[in-house]
Amino acid sequence: MTEDALTGPEGPGATPLRTPAATAAPGAGTLLRLLRDGRPRTRSELAAVTGLARSTVTQRVDALLASGLIGPAGEAVSTGGRPPTTFSFRPDARVVLAADLGATHARLALTDMSGTVLAQNRADIDIAQGPEPVLDWVVDHGRALLDGAGRGTDDLLGVGVGLPGPVQHSTGRAVNPPIMPGWDDFDVPGYVRGRISRPVLVDNDVNIMAIGEHHVAWPTASHLLFVKVATGIGCGIVSEGNVYRGAQGAAGDMGHIHVPSGADRPCRCGNTGCLEAVASGHALAEALTAQGVPASGARDVVELSRNGSVPALRALRQAGRDVGEVLAASVNMFNPSVIVVGGALAMAGDHLLAGVREVIYQRSLPLATENLSIVSSKAGEGAGVIGAAVMVIEHCLSPDHAESLVMGA
């Protein structure tokens, strides 16, 4: 898949969540985009909106009908004579396979073309096993989900994958990932396509979580930050409704920004004093263990806090303050309307969030925080797979790419 095919018209820095208006004469893909809003329309209404001749609309509607992407949706009110037929988008016409790969787990889901999860699977998998065994698990269990839903690979629109490290979105390759030995520059799309001949899109896990959260809970928010606090710490940035990735896909890597409380604590990136070195699940578990409260990772920290462990609650509150230190600067620079805090540590309740809010409201400008919402994730653990699915749906059903999909029906 070419760089243009993956990045779209806005270049590699941003991938559209909202499809831009077509500049060429509207084709079947543009009609599909109109119908994806869920509102049934007649041929006459489509002709009026697009400016196309009725005969041209009929031809393109027939092509969409043949592809199965749209279907009849009843009859409109007659203005005299036979009532005209309306047509609407069929989200169940194709399915999407979505994988959210973390440092120590994998979540896999089968969705329809609205992003609704139809079936899913989760397993404890170490990303350090390397790309082949992990991606083989994705493909093998993806086929099992397809079989269980009574669908075949012919029904598969595409595959979306999220990785726990920096990803060059235009190529789908990981770039110097600190916790992913063997993954650097590995051709993830090419490997998966070799086993499932469908489009494959890859991004880092925080970006797909941002897409998923935006889709589920904040579809009208133009400026959103999604912060994942788990084994690692990262931030997905939605700007003007688009995911912003930066020049090399490294935008939002807030876990390696220096924080005052970090002092000289070493970080896995090779620097010292990084946010991740003091506020990640691994860092909190180490600190608690040193205090005589055994913990091996983020989930243990969450469990301790739920059981009322005072050291764990204090550690979470301080981690929130440390995250807030970095986000306060981001609020002043980016001025988001929503900050969503997710990831494993966010499952502990309001303790982490309270620390984040405390520092942001203290250190950010009043104008920037006047209408700012700082909330927990509403999509929860499903944000990643939903986001990976939406990434594929928006790409494959964009006007340009939907044309080839319809022609190949």
Side-chain angles (χ1 to χ4, degrees):
M1 193 170 293
T2 65
E3 179 171 336
D4 288 342
L6 287 176
T7 60
E10 299 188 21
T15 289
L17 296 182
R18 300 168 187 164
T19 307
T23 55
T30 300
L31 297 190
L32 179 63
R33 181 188 64 186
L34 292 170
L35 292 168
R36 283 182 60 201
D37 65 4
R39 175 189 162 196
R41 291 178 174 84
T42 65
R43 292 183 178 90
S44 295
E45 289 175 318
L46 291 171
V49 171
T50 61
L52 293 173
R54 174 68 181 269
S55 59
T56 303
V57 168
T58 297
Q59 181 185 42
R60 290 172 182 173
V61 166
D62 288 346
L64 288 168
L65 286 168
S67 73
L69 295 173
I70 69 170
E75 296 179 338
V77 177
S78 175
T79 57
R82 182 178 177 181
T85 301
T86 63
F87 303 94
S88 63
F89 177 56
R90 293 183 54 216
D92 62 345
R94 301 284 193 282
V95 291
V96 178
L97 187 61
D100 176 18
L101 304 178
T104 57
H105 77 277
R107 186 177 294 273
L108 191 64
L110 191 70
T111 80
D112 65 13
M113 292 189 294
S114 70
T116 299
V117 175
L118 306 175
Q120 58 184 316
N121 193 0
R122 187 192 183 281
D124 292 328
I125 294 179
D126 189 351
I127 198 74
Q129 291 181 26
E132 288 95 342
V134 173
L135 295 176
D136 285 344
W137 182 91
V138 169
V139 172
D140 292 341
H141 286 77
R143 289 186 183 278
L145 289 181
L146 282 167
D147 291 342
R151 310 299 289 259
T153 53
D154 289 344
D155 298 322
L156 190 61
L157 184 70
V159 181
V161 180
L163 298 178
V167 173
Q168 187 178 48
H169 182 62
S170 60
T171 64
R173 296 171 183 256
V175 181
N176 297 320
I179 61 169
M180 301 170 62
W183 288 81
D184 184 31
D185 201 35
F186 185 83
D187 185 7
V188 176
Y191 187 84
V192 176
R193 279 200 307 270
R195 298 202 54 195
I196 296 182
S197 299
R198 288 293 181 269
V200 180
L201 276 75
V202 184
D203 205 343
N204 75 60
D205 57 351
V206 186
N207 282 345
I208 63 169
M209 292 174 85
I211 295 172
E213 190 71 29
H214 188 273
H215 176 79
V216 169
W218 304 94
T220 62
S222 296
H223 303 282
L224 176 147
L225 297 179
F226 183 95
V227 183
K228 176 188 176 184
V229 189
T231 303
I233 300 176
C235 180
I237 304 169
V238 174
S239 177
E240 296 294 347
N242 302 324
V243 175
Y244 180 77
R245 297 182 171 86
Q248 300 297 327
D253 198 0
M254 62 178 281
H256 300 289
I257 295 176
H258 187 275
V259 290
S261 64
D264 295 325
R265 192 171 303 181
C267 180
R268 62 184 180 178
C269 73
N271 289 325
T272 58
C274 294
L275 174 64
E276 195 170 290
V278 298
S280 67
H282 179 71
L284 297 193
E286 280 192 342
L288 287 171
T289 300
Q291 297 175 44
V293 183
S296 61
R299 294 190 180 276
D300 285 350
V301 176
V302 170
E303 188 64 26
L304 285 166
S305 70
R306 288 176 173 172
N307 291 331
S309 167
V310 173
L313 293 174
R314 287 176 177 167
L316 282 166
R317 183 66 176 249
Q318 182 57 46
R321 294 188 185 104
D322 292 329
V323 172
E325 287 279 353
V326 175
L327 286 177
S330 302
V331 168
N332 286 335
M333 293 186 66
F334 179 59
N335 189 205
S337 57
V338 182
I339 295 177
V340 181
V341 180
L345 287 184
M347 297 170 62
D350 290 336
H351 306 288
L352 182 76
L353 197 63
V356 172
R357 287 172 172 158
E358 175 187 335
V359 176
I360 287 180
Y361 287 124
Q362 178 184 1
R363 296 190 178 276
S364 299
L365 294 172
L367 181 61
T369 58
E370 182 178 1
N371 296 307
L372 175 64
S373 297
I374 305 174
V375 298
S376 296
S377 170
K378 295 182 180 179
E381 292 185 325
V385 289
I386 293 172
V390 171
M391 173 175 66
V392 172
I393 293 163
E394 293 299 330
H395 170 79
C396 292
L397 297 187
S398 65
D400 289 343
H401 297 100
E403 295 290 338
S404 59
L405 184 66
V406 172
M407 294 298 293

